[in-house]
Amino acid sequence: MRILLLFLLSLPTLVQAFCGFYVARAGTGLFNRSSKVVLVRDGERTVLTMANDFQGDVKDFAVVVPVPTFIEREQIHVGSSAVIDHLDAYTAPRLVEYFDPNPCQRLYRLEMKAMSAAADKGAAARARALGVTIEARYTVGEYDILILSAQESAGLITWLKENGYRLPQGAEPVVNSYIRQGMRFFVARVNLEAFEKTGFNYLRPLQVAYESPKFMLPIRLGTLNARGKQELFLWTLTRSGRVETANYPTVKIPSGQEIPLYVKDRFADFYRDLFARQVEKHGGRAVFTEYAWDMGWCDPCAAQPLSRSELRELGVMWLAEEPPIRPLPRAKPQIIPPRPVDVFVTRLHLQYDAETFPDDLRLHQTGDRGNFQARYVLRHPWDGSDDCPEARRYRGEILPQRLRRQAENLHELTGWPLAEIYREMGLKNPPEPWWKRLWPN
């Protein structure tokens, strides 16, 4: 049997700063070999939700997760993929669009001004002989789960192999480092009979609740049998504000730039290339913030905020129940007014392997509740026929400069060829760099 060793496994001062109409988002579906983790943290209380894109026969699935403490049956739960999908949609990078008003109207001039500013006894005995203790065994939903501790890595690896788990090369030193930290091992495999009874054709997320002073996410095991770089999407839900990694740079993804209108039909390609360019720019060793926001509202909304019942399902233990909010009519802007909910969400995104991320993620809460979102702007030009000095300046000066700036923004963000961007926008070829005009050939 093949084992899949997984890694576990600011409020705007101007209203128009974030107002607009949401038109597209870039969710986790853009990235292959991606895993999704949600960490709810309150003091030392932690709820970990793990989902992954495992592909294959479920009988081949198993996961080994280092955990900082003993886990009882009641601390393990099988969650809902729909809630994680909703959280993904709510926090996804987004594309918004605006429409220029008539420049001959006074409102336009004011806006421009403002915008500039399981085992038997024999197996247990064998485990003891190898220095492995089976501290507990549970069946939760479609999973059979063991809680293991070990005295040294060689004994644990031997036990895992003897029980049908195939480990990748290089596992022993990583496992040994977790043993030295006093961590236990959460081992889950699919119970085929229970899985068939669920009626699902996918594996649901596993959730674990525990208390520990360690606010961290083990990822090193996930690099051992990975084929190339892995994508990790990590959401944290806290009371205090934005979460960062303490041992790797945490960088806000570029946001707020105006880009050409044709990107609306290529937004997935745009964001995939933007992210790849940022990974390369930071040497493959940075963790990127894509969203940080008070969960009570959004502007613009890529999806409705999560309900309190959904937040509690993810483990937000400090919230009381409340009636569900009423969806807004689709004809109106998707802006949800603030409502009291003491939950702050951070969405982190990283691409990693053993070379670029040799250590587990150590996390810390910054206390910063400033809002941030990965957001990109389409601005439709005014195409009216009114004539006035402002309209002539708009057509002859403001609009051409803006279109060139949008093209340059797209080039800088994605690395797409500037000449190709100009062609897509219907513009003349970009001017040659000034130094090419210095000396004739």
Side-chain angles (χ1 to χ4, degrees), residues 327-345:
L328 293 177
R330 295 188 61 177
K332 296 183 179 180
Q334 292 180 307
I335 300 175
I336 306 299
R339 62 188 174 101
V341 54
D342 190 19
V343 182
F344 196 92
V345 61

Side-chain angles (χ1 to χ4, degrees), residues 25 84-94 235 291 293-306 336 345 347 373:
R25 61 170 177 259
I84 297 179
D85 291 343
H86 188 178
L87 183 62
D88 176 25
Y90 172 74
T91 59
R94 61 210 60 201
W235 293 268
Y291 197 80
W293 208 275
D294 188 314
M295 285 291 294
W297 67 297
C298 49
D299 179 9
C301 298
Q304 297 282 335
L306 274 66
I336 306 299
V345 61
R347 174 188 173 119
Q373 58 181 231

Side-chain angles (χ1 to χ4, degrees), residues 44-281:
E44 295 188 357
R45 297 187 298 173
T46 307
V47 178
L48 166 70
T49 302
M50 302 169 284
N52 67 86
D53 64 351
F54 173 75
Q55 297 176 356
D57 196 325
V58 294
K59 67 181 177 60
D60 293 329
F61 175 86
V63 59
V64 176
V65 181
V67 288
T69 186
F70 176 74
I71 304 295
E72 297 184 3
R73 165 64 180 81
E74 291 75 15
Q75 294 173 259
I76 305 169
H77 181 67
V78 177
S80 166
S81 297
V83 177
I84 297 179
D85 291 343
H86 188 178
L87 183 62
D88 176 25
Y90 172 74
T91 59
R94 61 210 60 201
L95 187 64
V96 298
E97 56 187 352
Y98 301 87
F99 294 82
D100 280 350
N102 186 338
C104 295
Q105 296 177 356
R106 181 174 180 271
L107 175 62
Y108 172 82
R109 296 191 292 273
L110 293 176
E111 287 183 352
M112 290 296 104
K113 185 175 181 179
M115 286 178 59
S116 64
D120 58 18
K121 292 183 179 180
R126 174 59 177 159
R128 286 195 299 272
L130 293 170
V132 176
T133 301
I134 303 174
E135 298 193 4
R137 65 179 77 250
Y138 316 116
T139 296
V140 182
E142 60 264 37
Y143 298 98
D144 288 332
I145 294 167
L146 299 176
I147 308 298
L148 306 178
S149 60
Q151 297 176 8
E152 47 90 22
S153 58
L156 176 60
I157 288 174
T158 299
W159 185 91
L160 288 168
K161 289 180 177 179
E162 289 182 355
N163 284 269
Y165 299 96
R166 185 183 304 166
L167 277 73
Q169 291 184 345
E172 184 167 344
V174 178
V175 169
N176 196 46
S177 69
Y178 291 124
I179 292 174
R180 289 198 305 268
Q181 296 178 56
M183 299 183 76
R184 292 170 171 82
F185 296 87
F186 177 100
V187 181
R189 71 197 321 172
V190 176
N191 182 312
L192 294 178
E193 182 178 350
F195 176 71
E196 291 177 359
K197 291 180 180 178
T198 66
F200 294 105
N201 58 4
Y202 59 87
L203 295 175
R204 293 178 294 172
L206 270 168
Q207 296 183 281
V208 185
Y210 58 89
E211 292 190 20
S212 172
K214 297 178 180 178
F215 189 22
M216 53 89 72
L217 188 66
I219 64 172
R220 286 179 294 156
L221 284 179
T223 65
L224 297 177
N225 63 348
R227 297 179 180 178
K229 291 184 178 293
Q230 304 291 291
E231 299 283 342
L232 170 61
F233 296 88
L234 170 61
W235 293 268
T236 62
L237 302 175
T238 68
R239 293 177 189 253
S240 62
R242 185 169 51 84
V243 169
E244 293 184 347
T245 48
N247 56 333
Y248 294 103
T250 303
V251 179
K252 290 181 178 178
I253 203 78
S255 177
Q257 293 88 341
E258 286 191 22
I259 54 179
L261 294 176
Y262 79 89
V263 176
K264 182 174 182 177
D265 296 325
R266 297 182 56 187
F267 187 57
D269 293 335
F270 161 80
Y271 192 76
R272 188 185 295 109
D273 290 346
L274 179 154
F275 186 80
R277 191 168 173 86
Q278 289 300 308
V279 170
E280 181 181 7
K281 177 181 177 181

